[in-house]
Amino acid sequence: MRTKLILGVILSICYCITIDAAEEDLPLYNSSEKEWNEIDNRSLSIVLRATYDENTICVYSDIATSNATIVIKDKANNIVYSNTNAAFSRCHTFYISDLLQGDYLLVIKIEDNSFYGNFSKEGR
């Protein structure tokens, strides 16, 4: 009986530690916004949404994309992550477990569109 109680307490502690890692929205901005008279109404516009937690970034898209470039830069503008041939239909997930504590810039380029967003990696 005592073993079951200790095992239950250990599992509860582990559960409480992992419950803290929640996805946060990573606002993305389109740096290649065109003027209203330059927009081609025949093409689909790309809208991206990104979330991150401590070690994972997820990029969501409404349309399938290919040949996307995903780059993460640190404050000194050094590239700390790069994927030049990313293709995703609904969600692209990548892991960033080796990032140090600090502020970073996520840049995603798809065709003529360029999206960017800032996030911080918090230390524990």
Side-chain angles (χ1 to χ4, degrees):
M1 183 70 176
R2 184 176 175 98
T3 308
K4 288 182 182 180
L5 178 63
I6 292 172
L7 183 63
V9 169
I10 291 172
L11 289 175
S12 298
I13 291 171
C14 291
Y15 178 74
C16 290
I17 290 171
T18 59
I19 202 165
D20 186 37
E23 277 189 342
E24 296 181 37
D25 279 331
L26 194 161
L28 293 176
Y29 304 96
N30 189 344
S31 65
S32 55
E33 290 283 337
K34 297 181 179 179
E35 295 294 324
W36 67 271
N37 56 351
E38 297 175 354
I39 296 175
D40 183 0
N41 292 328
R42 296 171 292 173
S43 62
L44 293 173
S45 60
I46 299 173
V47 178
L48 297 181
R49 186 176 78 83
T51 61
Y52 73 100
D53 63 14
E54 191 170 324
N55 294 320
T56 307
I57 293 181
C58 298
V59 180
Y60 302 96
S61 175
D62 288 342
I63 61 174
T65 60
S66 60
N67 296 327
T69 300
I70 300 172
V71 175
I72 297 177
K73 297 180 180 183
D74 63 9
K75 267 187 162 179
N77 212 23
N78 297 320
I79 296 175
V80 295
Y81 175 87
S82 178
N83 185 348
T84 56
N85 288 325
F88 49 97
S89 57
R90 287 280 193 197
C91 178
H92 179 72
T93 302
F94 55 98
Y95 302 97
I96 52 170
S97 59
D98 56 340
L99 290 183
L100 301 174
Q101 179 179 349
D103 296 326
Y104 294 92
L105 174 68
L106 172 67
V107 179
I108 303 170
K109 293 181 182 178
I110 303 170
E111 298 171 0
D112 293 335
N113 297 299
S114 183
F115 301 89
Y116 65 95
N118 295 304
F119 69 98
S120 295
K121 172 92 176 196
E122 300 294 328
R124 300 234 175 223

